């Protein structure tokens, strides 16, 4: 059964701005510029459901404006998949299946995000990589949605332990412990350190320093607090191979 995203207590971290045919981060929206975007904000996935800006002192947000509805196959219209169900779902996938899923997620969230027309971006349930049929093939379909979150979005303690599909443009640094016991990738967003991901010390084909990449990963957000009292965000992968990066070439650079 489909429901509006707010029924799932999900927030829109971005929106489709029809006047300029592009995706805009929610963080750029405020009371001073709201009239610029008013009546021009739509669901960032299907681009058909109209959104409104609700202003509250402690928690402003975007919501779907009735009677506007999301298109078939738009992941914002479905209930969030329970975390344990998602873990079991991905555990059963073969390496080839998880690779295909990541390839599809990268196309939808990175390569095509600002390059699709409204019609092109309205996929059906089967084509949307953010939707999962959690029932066995012999039973009636039960479609649930993964949660996506741009690396440019705001993260906080309320996200701690939550499962997301992370995506965006990033740079990487690779660090390995001296005794070769562990290693991690440091992820930089707009040249600022934001996340780290533990990986195998023997990992091959690592991203190169100072190059920009499209990035997708399925994993858990972990909020940590260091002695210096600044947040150090970590991503714990749902499985070791649930991460993908692709070097950004000239046609995709801003």
């Amino acid at each position: 059964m489909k429901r509006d995203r707010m029924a799932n207590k999900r927030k829109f971290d971005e929106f489709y701005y029809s006047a300029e045919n592009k995706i805009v981060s929610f963080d750029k929206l405020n009371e001073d510029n709201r009239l610029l975007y008013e009546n021009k904000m739509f669901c960032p996935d299907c681009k058909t459901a109209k959104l409104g800006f609700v202003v509250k002192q402690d928690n402003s947000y975007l919501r779907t404006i009735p009677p506007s509805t999301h298109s078939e196959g738009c992941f914002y219209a479905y209930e969030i998949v329970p975390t344990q169900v998602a873990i079991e779902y991905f555990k059963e996938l073969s390496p080839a299946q998880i690779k295909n899923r990541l390839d599809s997620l990268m196309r939808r969230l990175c390569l095509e995000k600002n390059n699709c027309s409204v019609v092109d971006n309205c996929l059906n349930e089967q084509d949307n990589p953010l939707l999962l049929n959690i029932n066995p093939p012999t039973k009636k379909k039960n479609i649930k949605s993964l949660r996506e979150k741009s690396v440019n979005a705001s993260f906080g303690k309320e996200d701690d332990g939550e499962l997301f599909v992370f995506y965006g443009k990033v740079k990487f640094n690779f660090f390995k412990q001296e005794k070769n016991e562990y290693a991690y990738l440091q992820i930089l967003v707009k040249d600022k350190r934001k996340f780290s991901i533990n990986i195998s010390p023997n990992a091959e084909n690592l991203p190169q320093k100072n190059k920009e990449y499209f990035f997708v990963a399925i994993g858990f957000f972990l909020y940590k607090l260091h002695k210096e009292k600044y947040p150090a965000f970590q991503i714990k992968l749902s499985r070791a191979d649930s991460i993908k990066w692709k070097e950004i070439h000239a046609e995709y650079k801003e």
Side-chain angles (χ1 to χ4, degrees):
M1 177 181 174
K2 296 183 183 180
R3 294 183 182 176
D4 180 81
R5 184 171 181 170
M6 290 310 294
N8 288 288
K9 297 183 179 180
R10 301 169 70 168
K11 296 187 297 182
F12 288 94
D13 293 320
E14 54 192 11
F15 59 90
Y16 172 65
Y17 180 40
S18 61
E20 296 184 7
N21 190 32
K22 69 178 184 180
I23 303 296
V24 177
S25 172
F26 174 73
D27 292 338
K28 293 185 178 181
L29 182 63
N30 54 57
E31 290 189 68
D32 295 330
N33 65 13
R34 61 182 300 180
L35 292 179
L36 172 68
Y37 297 108
E38 192 170 1
N39 297 316
K40 301 171 187 174
M41 297 184 293
F42 295 85
C43 168
D45 192 52
C46 67
K47 299 182 173 71
T48 58
K50 196 170 184 178
L51 305 181
F53 185 40
V54 179
V55 179
K56 291 190 175 182
Q57 185 173 357
D58 58 342
N59 184 31
S60 296
Y61 58 88
L62 288 170
R63 67 176 181 89
T64 305
I65 301 176
S68 180
T69 58
H70 296 268
S71 299
E72 179 183 358
C74 174
F75 73 89
Y76 284 85
Y78 294 80
E79 293 181 343
I80 300 168
V81 61
T83 299
Q84 191 56 42
V85 173
I87 292 172
E88 294 300 321
Y89 180 93
F90 287 116
K91 187 192 302 183
E92 296 299 318
L93 297 184
S94 68
Q97 288 174 321
I98 196 71
K99 179 183 180 301
N100 289 339
R101 176 76 59 167
L102 291 170
D103 288 344
S104 296
L105 287 167
M106 180 163 286
R107 282 194 299 271
R108 188 168 179 86
L109 296 174
C110 298
L111 302 176
E112 299 175 352
K113 192 93 176 182
N114 275 314
N115 294 294
C116 287
S117 68
V118 173
V119 175
D120 290 337
N121 210 41
C122 292
L123 302 178
N124 57 42
E125 289 178 346
Q126 185 175 350
D127 292 331
N128 193 332
L130 286 157
L131 298 180
L132 310 177
N133 178 17
I134 62 174
N135 276 353
T138 56
K139 293 187 176 182
K140 185 179 179 180
K141 288 195 300 184
N142 184 7
I143 306 297
K144 302 293 184 183
S145 170
L146 293 167
R147 282 184 291 184
E148 47 73 55
K149 190 145 185 169
S150 167
V151 293
N152 289 300
S154 299
F155 289 82
K157 291 182 179 179
E158 68 276 9
D159 299 311
D160 189 34
E162 298 292 340
L163 179 70
F164 294 105
V165 175
F166 300 88
Y167 71 94
K169 293 181 179 181
V170 303
K171 292 181 180 180
F172 294 96
N173 289 326
F174 174 67
F175 294 93
K176 184 186 293 188
Q177 195 260 356
E178 289 184 2
K179 296 183 179 179
N180 209 36
E181 294 177 352
Y182 68 90
Y184 66 94
L185 285 172
Q186 187 183 83
I187 299 177
L188 292 84
V189 179
K190 296 180 179 178
D191 291 322
K192 294 183 179 180
R193 179 164 56 93
K194 191 164 186 178
F195 304 96
S196 65
I197 297 180
N198 291 338
I199 62 171
S200 168
N202 301 315
E204 300 178 350
N205 301 316
L206 292 167
Q208 299 180 41
K209 189 175 182 179
N210 297 323
K211 285 192 174 183
E212 194 172 28
Y213 293 85
F214 286 124
F215 159 79
V216 292
I218 304 170
F220 299 91
F221 173 80
L222 302 180
Y223 184 98
K224 303 291 183 181
L225 197 64
H226 281 271
K227 293 179 180 179
E228 293 85 354
K229 303 298 181 184
Y230 65 86
F233 300 152
Q234 295 184 16
I235 297 173
K236 181 181 179 181
L237 297 175
S238 60
R239 47 186 279 177
D241 56 354
S242 62
I243 181 173
K244 178 181 176 65
W245 53 79
K246 179 181 178 67
E247 186 178 348
I248 299 177
H249 299 292
E251 63 268 30
Y252 291 107
K253 290 185 180 292
E254 296 180 349

